[in-house]
Amino acid sequence: MQVGLKIWRYDSRSGDRKLAEYEVDAPEWACLLDVLDIIKDKHDGTLAFRKSCRMMICGSCGMRMDGRAVLACKERMQPIAESGHVPVISAMGNLPIVKDLVVDMGPFWDKIRAVKPWLDPGYDEIAEKERIVSQQQMNAIQKESLCIMCGCCVSECNSMESDPAFLGPAALAKGFRFVGDPREGQQVERLVELNGEHGIWDCTRCYFCNERCPKGVDPRDAIAKLGAESIKEGIDHDMGAKHAKWFVRSAMTTGWLRETELVPKTQGIVSAIKQTGFALGLAVKGKVPPPFPPHVADKVGEARGLYELVKRQGRRGAAGIIQGERALSRLEFGEEHGARRDSPEITPGEEPPAAGH
Ligand code: SF4
Ligand code: SF4
Ligand code: FES
């Protein structure tokens, strides 16, 4: 088949940048990486890109196709070639480009190192016996353990674009991989670190990392689990944590998000007073509903019932988020395909809820 590609070429030494177009003959089974190989072998040996395994496991071949991060060895080219579309290939975002499709992964590794990517059991002596961990316990961090460090999530991260110091989705998913490990002995210390500046609460919840991760790690979900674990441990000094707590409180009491109370509850009275002028401006334009009496939803009983149910089930912390993931997967795939009895179990022996609940 004939495959066309447009590739953004870049030379960091000269600063030259140009969009080069190639058309090559490739076998029907070719993936994007195969096509790049053909270009390099037969058409232009100066093209630079990274690769190793060619089987979606080493994480070397992250790049962008039509502006979204992909693994080049995962993208089949036949449907694209048959549609006549010529995709634009470029280097990943949020990382400095070295040459063509090769980025400097240094900042990525710095952040992975910053979350202490190894197990710290909290003691130095070597145990005499092997410590057995059940499959059920490990299921809680199964998704986060799938990360191949490709950087596709980082490439698409909204928050990193505005704050390059933000720890970012890959490092935070790695953080939960250890916070959620039953053998880890420094969970609280880790959570305190991850709640710091540029930590979990700086995520804008755009979900691009979930969407682009080629391995199903769902880093945004890992960040939500870290937030829930932090609140469970009483680490809730950050405005993000206060914000999340107010969402729950407001939904439970009135069935609505009471935005007028969000600022004082999240930022405190002093900060709220400083913003009085802004609030008055909004009120004059009719954009602030009167806070008293609070508007209560007709079916607020349902919201309260849901709150009570979750409370009774004791699914605090990451357990509640994992339960949510499981419910979503069941909605998506249906009972017969999505029963997933091997998915993370929170309460040993407890049956998963029926599909759709
Ligand atoms: S959800 Fe958060 S971590 Fe993920 S891409 Fe968006 S801002 Fe980044
Ligand atoms: S979380 Fe997914 S996208 Fe991000 S580095 Fe790991 S495997 Fe790649
Ligand atoms: S070459 Fe290893 S993941 Fe693509």
Side-chain angles (χ1 to χ4, degrees), residues 5-12 14-22 39 43-48 87-91 97 99-101:
L5 288 185
K6 289 179 190 162
I7 304 178
W8 273 109
R9 305 288 309 268
Y10 176 70
D11 185 333
S12 60
S14 64
D16 290 345
R17 185 172 160 81
K18 65 171 183 192
L19 190 61
E21 192 157 352
Y22 303 90
I39 292 172
H43 299 267
D44 187 346
T46 65
L47 179 65
V88 176
I89 312 301
S90 54
I97 304 174
K99 184 171 189 285
D100 299 336
L101 307 176

Side-chain angles (χ1 to χ4, degrees), residues 69-119:
V70 296
L71 285 182
C73 63
K74 193 177 176 189
E75 296 299 303
R76 294 284 144 212
M77 294 308 291
Q78 190 179 17
I80 299 172
E82 284 176 358
S83 73
H85 176 58
V86 178
V88 176
I89 312 301
S90 54
M92 287 198 292
N94 284 333
L95 291 162
I97 304 174
V98 179
K99 184 171 189 285
D100 299 336
L101 307 176
V102 175
V103 291
D104 175 5
M105 293 290 279
F108 176 93
W109 296 118
D110 287 345
K111 287 174 184 173
I112 296 287
R113 275 190 286 271
V115 301
K116 205 167 75 161
W118 59 85
L119 202 66

Side-chain angles (χ1 to χ4, degrees), residues 296-309:
V296 178
D298 282 348
K299 294 189 176 172
V300 65
E302 290 184 5
R304 290 178 187 165
L306 182 61
Y307 178 87
E308 287 304 322
L309 177 71

Side-chain angles (χ1 to χ4, degrees), residues 156-159 166 169 203-209 220 223:
E156 308 308 289
C157 179
N158 240 288
S159 190
F166 173 49
C203 165
T204 61
R205 303 174 182 84
C206 70
Y207 280 86
F208 285 165
C209 52
R220 169 56 219 166
I223 297 169

Side-chain angles (χ1 to χ4, degrees), residues 124-154:
D124 289 332
E125 69 276 14
I126 297 166
E128 282 179 17
K129 276 185 164 176
E130 184 183 9
R131 178 169 171 183
I132 309 289
V133 180
S134 72
Q135 184 60 49
Q136 193 177 59
Q137 285 175 302
M138 291 310 285
N139 281 346
I141 51 168
Q142 188 258 345
K143 284 205 308 184
E144 290 75 15
S145 306
L146 295 175
C147 177
I148 57 170
M149 313 276 191
C150 63
C152 286
C153 54
V154 164

Side-chain angles (χ1 to χ4, degrees), residues 166-177:
F166 173 49
L167 275 171
L172 291 172
K174 183 64 71 188
F176 183 73
R177 186 254 169 270

